[in-house]
Amino acid sequence: MNSIFTLVAALSLTLLTPLCAEEMRIAALFTDHMVLQRERPVPVWGWANPGELVNVEFAGQKKSAIAAADGKWLVKLDPMPASSEGRELLVESAVTSKKSKITDVVVGDVWLCSGQSNMHFPLNSATNGEKEIAVEQPTLRFFIVGDEFGQKPIADSKGVWRSASPTTSGACSAVAYFFGKNLQQKLGVPIGLLISSVGGTRIESWMRSETLAMTGESDPLVKKWKDISADEFKKIESVYRAYQYQRDIIHSQAVKDAKAKGILAPPEPQMPKLRCHDCPNSLHNGMIAPLQPFAIRGAIWYQGESNSGQPAAYEKLLPAMIADWRQVWGSELPFLFVQLAPYQKTHPAFREAQLHIWQKTPHTAMVVTTDVGDANTIHPLRKRPVGERLALAALALSYGEKIEYSGPVFKGMNIEGKRAVLSFDHTGTGLMAKDAALTGFTLAGADGKFLPALAVIDGSTVVVTCEKISNPVAVRYGWAMMPDGNLFNREGLPAAPFRTDHPADQKRAAIGPNFKRRQ
């Protein structure tokens, strides 16, 4: 009898116990010192046993959710005003009474900061970085998403929220830091930076495979990775991470030692032929999907070096990725991106493609960086102007401030005898030549040969002439790997390079089939 009773009790306990022992937890994005998005519904999510009731409390709100069949639960907090007061976010299982307590949570604006190495570039390596690192900024906070590559979407991310301080800021993206600092100072609300960036990556790796397929671009790259098995993918990733360690730790130290001894430095380790960085959708799966649908205000993007050999393709790829992100985060998601800085191997046609993307894609802005490049490195050290200009664009685009956020942008050309008269948008309070007479303009006649030209500002226009050309046909400005133009508006923002002879009715070819991969 006792045996039967024991068996029944055991069966009852089994029926009451969840089949999968998934301990209630909250997504890794939710940590101490985090920033929640103000004035919008705020999704909060995690995992528990299927059917388990989970309660979430914050700022006087209490929301509940039942874990779905896959164990995921999600609640949405009601929109909240900005607050610098650090409060507790409490998550509790109604079944097991397990609690997760997130402390020092503030409410402000959260921006996703993504791209490749120039976005990843840390503050401690930037010009005047040490001065910035020394400043404590408790309401400027950042979350660096851990590097993850996936053939399929990964559920959770890795990382922690940190307040900007002398012990933390050095690792923050320099561009994101200056962007966030400027917004925080202008708006007076906490700013959160979700930094999801990896050096040397192509845009295809940041896109969903379905989105990439719809563009009709990059088919050879897709085909190259199509039949890679999960085991092969892990091996490729392991080999590349080993290479990174050899390059960044072992080789870097060897170079320093060689320099100190005055001897020849050893050669850099050879890069593997296959990298997860190049695998379509691998970084979307590993470093964007886990962030969705975390509430954000907008996104900033600094990428393109690894795609700079295919401007025509990029002109389709980036708008497709923007549209894809907007499906998740909202159709009006502000998207601000950086036009590639001057570098000896970056063709002007790629900057032109970026300009076209801005002009054709609603609710976007582009930051021009022609004055902060470096011919000898693809990673210019001056990141402050980049971040500050992104902040200007955000203030205009996302916050509705009536300010000029862009330098002059070519609008139209009239031929008046020997003169080509150019008009511009975004002239602000007026055009100006920075430091000297206008430079960077070339003029062509019917023969299509471009010659250095004289350019002068005439009110809101620029007049371009050349003694050797009596019937001008086309003008180019800053059309070089290293643009030398100095046309600005009086707000101190540089003009975007352009050409008036763009073959709009022809498909542009790639700039060299054997482009060098950018880090």
Side-chain angles (χ1 to χ4, degrees):
M1 187 72 167
N2 288 338
S3 297
I4 294 174
F5 179 80
T6 303
L7 178 60
V8 171
L11 288 171
S12 299
L13 184 60
T14 300
L15 291 172
L16 292 173
T17 303
L19 293 177
C20 87
E22 171 75 40
E23 192 174 61
M24 189 278 296
R25 61 188 174 92
I26 193 170
L29 270 172
F30 297 85
T31 77
D32 297 344
H33 316 302
M34 72 179 304
V35 182
L36 296 179
Q37 178 59 49
R38 62 170 169 156
E39 299 171 353
R40 295 180 184 176
V42 176
V44 180
W45 71 91
W47 294 267
N49 286 301
E52 187 171 354
L53 179 65
V54 178
N55 298 317
V56 177
E57 295 184 47
F58 181 72
Q61 296 188 47
K62 184 173 181 178
K63 303 287 185 178
S64 299
I66 296 175
D70 62 357
K72 188 171 182 178
W73 56 265
L74 181 147
V75 303
K76 285 189 177 181
L77 297 174
D78 298 330
M80 299 168 282
S83 173
S84 299
E85 177 190 354
R87 291 174 286 188
E88 289 184 351
L89 173 67
L90 182 64
V91 182
E92 182 178 10
S93 167
V95 177
T96 66
S97 297
K98 176 180 170 53
K99 296 181 181 180
S100 290
K101 185 184 293 185
I102 311 299
T103 63
D104 188 30
V105 179
V106 296
V107 181
D109 285 334
V110 181
W111 286 81
L112 174 61
C113 313
S114 190
Q116 60 180 106
S117 53
N118 272 306
M119 180 62 79
H120 200 71
F121 194 90
L123 183 61
N124 59 19
S125 296
T127 302
N128 295 324
E130 291 184 4
K131 180 180 177 181
E132 296 293 335
I133 291 169
V135 181
E136 192 91 29
Q137 299 184 82
T139 55
L140 176 60
R141 305 181 176 192
F142 61 97
F143 182 104
I144 300 177
V145 181
D147 288 9
E148 289 289 340
F149 304 90
Q151 286 180 301
K152 296 181 180 180
I154 294 172
D156 212 2
S157 59
K158 296 178 181 177
V160 295
W161 282 92
R162 296 182 173 93
S163 297
S165 74
T167 60
T168 64
S169 295
C172 184
S173 156
V175 167
Y177 170 88
F178 287 117
F179 168 76
K181 177 187 175 182
N182 274 265
L183 283 187
Q184 201 281 324
Q185 290 176 340
K186 293 284 186 181
L187 301 171
V189 303
I191 297 294
L193 306 168
L194 275 179
I195 302 168
S196 182
S197 56
V198 179
T201 52
R202 297 177 61 83
I203 190 174
E204 291 93 336
S205 65
W206 293 99
M207 301 171 64
R208 288 193 309 143
S209 55
E210 306 94 302
T211 305
L212 180 58
M214 286 190 294
T215 67
E217 300 292 340
S218 306
D219 288 342
L221 189 65
V222 173
K223 184 178 180 180
K224 180 179 179 179
W225 287 89
K226 183 179 179 181
D227 298 323
I228 299 290
S229 68
D231 288 341
E232 288 175 303
F233 189 85
K234 289 179 181 178
K235 184 178 179 180
I236 292 168
E237 181 178 3
S238 177
V239 169
Y240 189 76
R241 289 191 184 277
Y243 156 77
Q244 285 181 307
Y245 178 78
Q246 288 291 325
R247 182 194 64 189
D248 299 339
I249 307 298
I250 304 300
H251 181 258
S252 293
Q253 186 59 49
V255 170
K256 291 178 182 177
D257 293 344
K259 186 176 181 180
K261 296 176 182 178
I263 61 176
L264 189 65
E268 185 172 308
Q270 187 173 358
M271 183 187 293
K273 292 182 179 179
L274 285 177
R275 313 179 316 153
C276 293
H277 293 57
D278 299 326
C279 177
N281 74 51
S282 61
L283 287 172
H284 183 279
N285 288 339
M287 298 179 65
I288 296 298
L291 311 182
Q292 298 171 337
F294 193 84
I296 61 175
R297 180 86 188 206
I300 62 174
W301 175 256
Y302 197 158
Q303 191 277 336
E305 297 88 345
S306 290
N307 291 88
S308 62
Q310 299 87 24
Y314 198 82
E315 205 169 317
K316 294 181 181 179
L317 293 171
L318 182 55
M321 192 195 80
I322 294 171
D324 196 40
W325 287 14
R326 285 176 172 172
Q327 283 188 351
V328 176
W329 279 302
S331 60
E332 291 303 310
L333 178 79
F335 192 95
L336 323 174
F337 61 94
V338 181
Q339 189 180 50
L340 293 192
Y343 175 59
Q344 61 180 338
K345 296 179 182 179
T346 301
H347 197 279
F350 190 81
R351 297 189 193 98
E352 180 182 59
Q354 292 179 298
L355 176 62
H356 290 165
I357 291 167
W358 171 33
Q359 292 172 326
K360 296 175 183 178
T361 311
H363 221 53
T364 63
M366 183 187 75
V367 164
V368 177
T369 58
T370 50
D371 57 333
V372 296
D374 188 326
N376 299 314
T377 176
I378 204 166
H379 304 126
L381 303 183
R382 294 180 58 203
K383 301 302 187 189
R384 179 192 291 273
V386 183
E388 289 178 343
R389 291 168 189 175
L390 283 166
L392 274 178
L395 290 170
L397 196 65
S398 183
Y399 299 96
E401 292 199 14
K402 304 300 180 182
I403 57 174
E404 184 54 83
Y405 67 91
S406 170
V409 176
F410 172 70
K411 182 180 180 181
M413 177 178 70
N414 287 322
I415 302 298
E416 301 175 357
K418 295 182 178 181
R419 309 186 330 153
V421 182
L422 310 177
S423 59
F424 298 85
D425 289 321
H426 295 283
T427 55
T429 53
L431 299 175
M432 62 175 280
K434 189 174 183 180
D435 301 328
L438 280 181
T439 59
F441 286 87
T442 58
L443 189 66
D447 61 1
K449 294 180 179 180
F450 283 85
L451 301 176
L454 174 68
V456 294
I457 295 172
D458 183 7
S460 60
T461 66
V462 171
V463 179
V464 184
T465 58
C466 178
E467 289 184 358
K468 298 181 180 180
I469 299 175
S470 57
N471 296 300
V473 172
V475 175
R476 291 181 176 181
Y477 170 74
W479 196 258
M481 304 285 192
M482 291 295 301
D484 65 348
N486 63 347
L487 177 62
F488 283 65
N489 57 28
R490 294 191 180 278
E491 282 68 23
L493 299 171
F498 65 89
R499 58 175 170 170
T500 66
D501 59 316
H502 168 58
D505 57 342
Q506 299 175 16
K507 184 175 182 180
R508 282 168 290 146
I511 307 303
N514 298 316
F515 71 96
K516 183 178 179 181
R517 178 181 288 129
R518 309 285 192 249
Q519 288 298 318

